[in-house]
């Protein structure tokens, strides 16, 4: 069925069969229980009635998707270029694919599939057993669990919960913030957990457990680090323990520093063939050449100085020889390369 212009539909049940479709060239307002086994495509989709559940087993696509009074079960695909918003106290269960600009889940987000939010995500509680990636800022307020084998990657991660637990891997490209002002917050790293912070770490709460954290930028502790955590700052200002950039908090004697090796090699998770890349300085040109081995695809790079300050970055699809702009100041620099699978390698480069 095709509808030109806005449409309001309010039967007791709207069901789109696997071979069925509903196209609305405008805004679609639904006051019905929704089961989508086929395709719904609209400029904007809003479900307003107090409905127990919404089931998406097919394709739900729109600029904005607003599920205001219902818990959503997705085994298919939800594509919302601008935003995906759920109402208060309603959950999102995803075993399929969710891709949206911004996301708001003001209750529990269970992710057992692949989810991507390119402009940020706010969730009261987040439980991840597969993959969540995106850009912008991810904020978790009440609880966060990243289970064994799960992956979470984002630009900025803010934890406002005292109940954040990581078993799998977490990659933060820009900033990891634990706590805010007097908000109690904590991060527990279970055995085998890895947290890779390509930018800055600011801890105002508690970091505990048995996993590891690698920080390439500014590492500051104003809270507590305890347990058997291994923390490694690639560019520390402090020359004695805890070998960070600033410590006004407490670090237990049981904490280790770079026990897994220098941060940026084994400290950055799975090995990448990018560790075999060759960096060729080109004095006077303002660039260096990165010779990438084989047909490896580089998805991005970050250039840091010895103090961990970000000097430049790039994202795209690079292979062969990559030209990276560099400062015209002699010194030691760190060049982080990331492949298409999210694995990374850090090269220490001395420019004369």
């Amino acid at each position: 069925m095709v509808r030109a212009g806005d449409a309001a539909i309010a039967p007791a049940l709207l069901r789109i069969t696997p071979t069925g479709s509903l196209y609305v060239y405008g805004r679609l307002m639904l006051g019905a229980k929704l089961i989508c086994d086929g395709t719904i495509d609209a400029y904007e989709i809003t479900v307003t009635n107090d409905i127990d559940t919404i089931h998406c087993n097919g394709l739900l696509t729109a600029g904005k998707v607003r599920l205001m009074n219902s818990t959503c079960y997705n085994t298919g695909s939800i594509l919302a270029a601008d935003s995906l918003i759920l109402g208060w106290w309603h959950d999102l269960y995803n075993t399929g694919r969710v891709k949206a600009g911004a996301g708001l889940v003001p209750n529990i987000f269970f992710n057992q599939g692949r989810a991507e939010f390119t402009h940020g995500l706010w969730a009261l509680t987040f439980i991840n057993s597969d993959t969540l990636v995106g850009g912008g800022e991810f904020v978790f307020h009440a609880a966060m669990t990243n289970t064994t084998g799960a992956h979470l990657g984002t630009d900025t991660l803010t934890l406002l919960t005292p109940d954040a637990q990581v078993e799998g891997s977490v990659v933060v490209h820009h900033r990891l913030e634990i706590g805010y002002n007097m908000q109690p917050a904590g991060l527990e790293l279970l055995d085998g957990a890895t947290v890779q912070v390509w930018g800055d770490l600011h801890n105002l709460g508690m970091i505990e457990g048995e996993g590891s954290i690698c920080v390439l930028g500014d590492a500051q502790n104003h809270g507590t680090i305890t347990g058997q955590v291994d923390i490694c700052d690639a560019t520390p200002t402090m020359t004695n323990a805890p070998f960070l950039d600033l410590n006004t908090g407490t670090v237990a004697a049981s904490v280790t520093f770079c026990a897994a090796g220098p941060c940026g090699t084994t400290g950055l998770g799975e090995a990448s063939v990018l560790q075999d890349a060759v960096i060729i300085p080109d004095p006077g040109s303002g660039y260096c050449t990165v010779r990438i081995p084989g047909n490896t695809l580089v998805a991005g790079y970050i250039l840091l100085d010895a103090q961990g300050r970000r000097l430049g970055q790039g994202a795209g699809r690079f292979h062969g020889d990559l030209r990276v702009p560099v400062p015209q100041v002699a010194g030691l620099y760190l060049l982080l390369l990331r492949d298409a699978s999210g694995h990374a390698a850090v090269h220490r480069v001395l420019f004369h």
Side-chain angles (χ1 to χ4, degrees):
M1 183 171 74
V2 178
R3 173 66 182 266
D6 297 347
I9 302 175
L13 169 66
L14 174 63
R15 180 164 195 162
I16 307 297
T17 63
T19 59
S21 61
L22 174 61
Y23 294 91
V24 178
Y25 295 101
R27 294 177 174 86
L28 173 61
M29 300 285 293
L30 291 176
K33 181 174 182 178
L34 174 63
I35 300 175
C36 180
D37 295 324
T39 299
I40 297 179
D41 189 335
Y43 171 72
E44 182 177 308
I45 299 173
T46 301
V47 181
T48 57
N49 273 11
D50 191 6
I51 302 162
D52 289 339
T53 57
I54 293 172
H55 294 267
C56 177
N57 309 311
L59 172 62
L60 194 67
T61 179
K64 298 178 181 178
V65 176
R66 298 175 179 176
L67 311 176
M68 305 312 297
N69 293 300
S70 305
T71 289
C72 178
Y73 293 87
N74 176 54
T75 62
S77 295
I78 298 177
L79 308 179
D82 180 87
S83 56
L84 171 63
I85 299 173
L86 274 76
W88 286 100
W89 313 122
H90 293 285
D91 305 330
L92 173 60
Y93 295 82
N94 176 50
T95 57
R97 181 190 180 206
V98 172
K99 183 174 183 179
L104 174 61
V105 185
N107 204 40
I108 304 175
F109 180 7
F110 295 93
N111 182 52
Q112 295 177 302
R114 179 173 179 85
E116 180 178 358
F117 295 87
T118 56
H119 300 303
L121 169 67
W122 190 97
L124 191 65
T125 296
F126 176 64
I127 301 172
N128 184 39
S129 59
D130 201 319
T131 302
L132 171 68
V133 295
E137 182 179 16
F138 286 7
V139 180
F140 303 122
H141 204 281
M144 183 197 84
T145 300
N146 197 62
T147 62
T148 301
H151 175 70
L152 189 159
T154 183
D155 285 345
T156 298
L157 177 60
T158 300
L159 300 176
L160 303 178
T161 168
D163 189 21
Q165 188 179 80
V166 173
E167 295 179 83
S169 66
V170 173
V171 176
V172 181
H173 297 162
H174 180 63
R175 182 184 179 96
L176 172 58
E177 187 88 26
I178 303 173
Y180 180 78
N181 289 339
M182 299 302 292
Q183 176 80 28
L187 174 61
E188 181 182 7
L189 304 174
L190 299 187
D191 189 21
T194 60
V195 176
Q196 307 164 21
V197 185
W198 297 2
D200 305 333
L201 165 67
H202 285 188
N203 177 41
L204 302 175
M206 176 179 288
I207 301 174
E208 59 182 331
E210 302 174 310
S212 64
I213 299 183
C214 168
V215 184
L216 297 186
D218 182 48
Q220 296 189 17
N221 175 50
H222 304 288
T224 300
I225 304 175
T226 187
Q228 284 72 51
V229 170
D230 182 60
I231 185 165
C232 190
D233 181 1
T235 57
T237 300
M238 302 174 64
T239 56
N240 54 1
F243 305 102
L244 304 174
D245 293 295
L246 181 61
N247 178 48
T248 63
T250 301
V251 179
S254 56
V255 173
T256 58
F257 312 104
C258 303
C263 186
T265 53
T266 56
L268 274 175
E270 294 186 47
S272 169
V273 294
L274 292 177
Q275 292 177 359
D276 297 326
V278 177
I279 314 299
I280 306 172
D282 188 1
S285 71
Y287 290 85
C288 73
T289 298
V290 181
R291 186 145 294 162
I292 302 166
N295 294 318
T296 304
L297 187 68
V298 175
Y301 69 86
I302 298 174
L303 182 68
L304 307 169
D305 65 13
Q307 286 71 49
R309 292 185 293 260
R310 187 176 303 208
L311 304 178
Q313 63 184 47
R317 299 175 65 86
F318 312 107
H319 59 85
D321 286 352
L322 171 63
R323 297 276 284 174
V324 175
V326 297
Q328 295 295 293
V329 178
L332 179 65
Y333 296 88
L334 299 177
L335 179 62
L336 184 145
L337 302 173
R338 175 170 53 92
D339 65 24
S341 299
H343 304 148
V346 172
H347 294 265
R348 290 167 171 79
V349 185
L350 182 62
F351 294 124
H352 299 285

